[in-house]
Amino acid sequence: VEGVLADNNDLSITYNAGLQEIKVSSTQEITAIVVCNLNGVVVEMSLPMTTEAVVSLADYASGMYVIKAVTATSTQTQKIIKR
């Protein structure tokens, strides 16, 4: 799956399968990005404190992951499948 996965006008999560990257962008400062596997184990957490951030999934095994992005006023959660 490639393209915008989630967009709530303030916070968007876009997955680029070719680059194996997730781009998170917001009109507000992104305070946290959390990547979990389906067992709920946090495999990566970043605190970008910017309006755009990129998380690479290149080192992760194939499977489904849950991406959670947080700003001061919004939270967006999206499942992605890494092949």
Side-chain angles (χ1 to χ4, degrees), residues 1-80:
V1 176
E2 201 165 319
V4 176
L5 299 175
D7 190 349
N8 69 359
N9 297 327
D10 166 31
L11 184 60
S12 70
I13 299 172
T14 307
Y15 180 52
N16 183 323
L19 295 175
Q20 298 183 25
E21 290 181 341
I22 297 166
K23 180 180 177 184
V24 180
S25 58
S26 177
T27 57
Q28 299 180 23
E29 185 175 79
I30 302 162
T31 56
I33 299 171
V34 181
V35 180
C36 298
N37 64 21
L38 281 186
N39 296 323
V41 176
V42 174
V43 295
E44 183 168 340
M45 181 173 177
S46 64
L47 307 171
M49 302 306 190
T50 62
T51 58
E52 285 192 3
V54 175
V55 176
S56 174
L57 299 182
D59 294 334
Y60 298 133
S62 297
M64 189 173 290
Y65 293 89
V66 177
I67 313 302
K68 180 178 178 182
V70 181
T71 68
T73 61
S74 178
T75 299
Q76 187 75 29
T77 304
Q78 185 63 45
K79 290 181 184 176
I80 64 113

